[in-house]
C-alpha cells in the first residue's frame, strides 16, 4: 500500500501542520507494530485489536482510513484467519467503512477457522438463548426507510444486501422512523447462528451483524411491517431530526 501522504506543509496553517505531523508519527508507529504482528504470525486477537484501536483513535471516528489499512493487510493475507473477522468488526464499530466492507465481511466469514466458528456458535446458544426459537434459529429485526424528509435519492440498503440488525424490535422501529421518511418498515428475520458474524446483547442497540443474503447468507425474512407516519414521533422532534440527518449524511 502507498505510504501515508500528508498535505504539503506550505499549504497548512501552523496548527494544521502540528496535527499532520502528529498523525504521521502515530501512524508510522502503529503500522510498524502491525507489520511485526504479521511477520511473527501473532494469533493473539487482543494484540491486533490494540494496534487497530490505536490507529482508529489516530484518524478519528469520522475517517475510513483505518478500514483502508485493514483491507490492505487482509487482501495481502497478512492478518491471521482466526482474528480477521472480530478485528474487522472492531474496525467497523470504531470508525467509518467504505463500499468494500460487505465484500471483506463475506471473505472474513468464509476464512474463519471451523473450530473458532463452532466455539462462537456454542457461546451464542448460551448468551442468546432467549432470542433463539425451538428450530434453533435466531430472531432479529431491521428498520428500513425510503425518502427520509422527502429526499428522493435516499433509502436504506435493500434487505438482501443488509448486514446490520438488532435483537430489539423497538430499536429497529426507531431506525425506521427517526428520519421521518415517506415509507418506514420493520423486517423480522430468522437466521441460523452460522450466519451471525458478531452480536452484542449488552449495549442499548443490541446489534447483530449478519452475512448478507447477497453474499451467501441463508437467513430469511419472516415478516415485514409498515410503520404508519402517526407513529414516527411528535412533529416537534422533526427539526432536530433533520439537523441530525444532515450532519450524519450530508457532509
Amino acid at each position: 500500500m502507498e505510504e501515508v501522504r500528508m498535505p504539503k506543509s506550505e499549504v497548512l496553517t501552523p496548527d494544521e501542520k502540528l496535527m499532520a505531523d502528529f498523525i504521521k508519527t502515530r501512524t508510522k508507529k502503529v503500522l510498524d507494530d502491525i507489520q511485526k504482528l504479521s511477520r511473527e504470525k501473532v494469533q493473539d486477537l487482543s494484540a491486533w485489536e490494540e494496534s487497530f484501536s490505536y490507529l482508529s483513535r489516530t484518524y478519528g471516528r469520522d475517517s475510513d482510513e483505518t478500514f483502508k489499512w485493514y483491507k490492505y493487510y487482509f487482501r495481502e493475507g497478512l492478518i491471521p484467519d482466526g482474528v480477521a473477522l472480530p478485528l474487522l468488526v472492531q474496525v467497523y464499530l470504531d470508525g467509518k467503512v467504505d463500499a468494500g466492507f460487505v465484500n471483506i465481511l463475506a471473505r472474513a466469514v468464509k476464512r474463519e477457522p471451523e473450530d473458532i466458528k463452532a466455539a462462537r456458535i456454542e457461546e451464542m446458544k448460551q448468551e442468546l438463548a432467549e432470542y433463539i426459537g425451538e428450530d434453533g434459529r435466531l430472531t432479529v429485526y431491521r428498520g428500513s426507510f425510503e425518502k427520509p424528509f422527502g429526499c428522493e435519492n435516499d433509502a436504506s440498503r435493500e434487505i438482501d444486501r443488509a448486514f446490520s440488525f438488532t435483537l430489539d424490535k423497538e430499536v429497529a422501529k426507531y431506525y425506521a422512523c427517526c428520519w421521518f421518511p415517506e415509507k418506514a418498515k420493520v423486517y423480522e428475520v430468522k437466521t441460523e447462528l452460522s450466519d451471525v458474524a458478531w452480536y452484542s446483547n449488552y449495549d442499548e442497540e443490541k446489534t447483530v451483524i449478519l452475512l448478507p443474503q447477497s453474499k451467501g447468507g441463508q437467513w430469511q425474512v419472516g415478516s415485514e411491517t409498515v410503520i404508519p407516519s402517526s407513529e414516527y414521533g411528535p412533529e416537534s422532534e422533526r427539526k432536530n431530526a433533520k439537523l441530525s440527518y444532515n450532519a450524519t449524511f450530508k457532509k
Side-chain angles (χ1 to χ4, degrees), residues 232-244:
Y232 285 5
E235 191 64 24
S236 59
E237 294 180 0
R238 177 184 284 267
K239 182 177 179 180
N240 287 337
K242 182 70 175 291
L243 292 172
S244 179

Side-chain angles (χ1 to χ4, degrees), residues 125-137:
K125 288 178 180 178
Q126 299 297 317
E127 294 198 358
L128 302 179
E130 65 182 291
Y131 305 101
I132 297 174
E134 294 182 358
D135 60 359
R137 295 192 298 171

Side-chain angles (χ1 to χ4, degrees), residues 56-99:
S56 295
R57 292 195 302 273
T58 298
Y59 286 117
R61 293 190 62 85
D62 290 334
S63 172
D64 64 358
E65 288 299 316
T66 300
F67 177 62
K68 290 178 180 178
W69 282 110
Y70 177 94
K71 280 196 299 185
Y72 166 71
Y73 286 108
F74 180 83
R75 287 170 172 168
E76 294 297 314
L78 300 175
I79 300 176
D81 291 348
V83 306
L85 180 57
L87 184 61
L88 173 61
V89 172
Q90 176 187 296
V91 170
Y92 167 73
L93 296 173
D94 283 350
K96 292 189 178 298
V97 297
D98 60 29

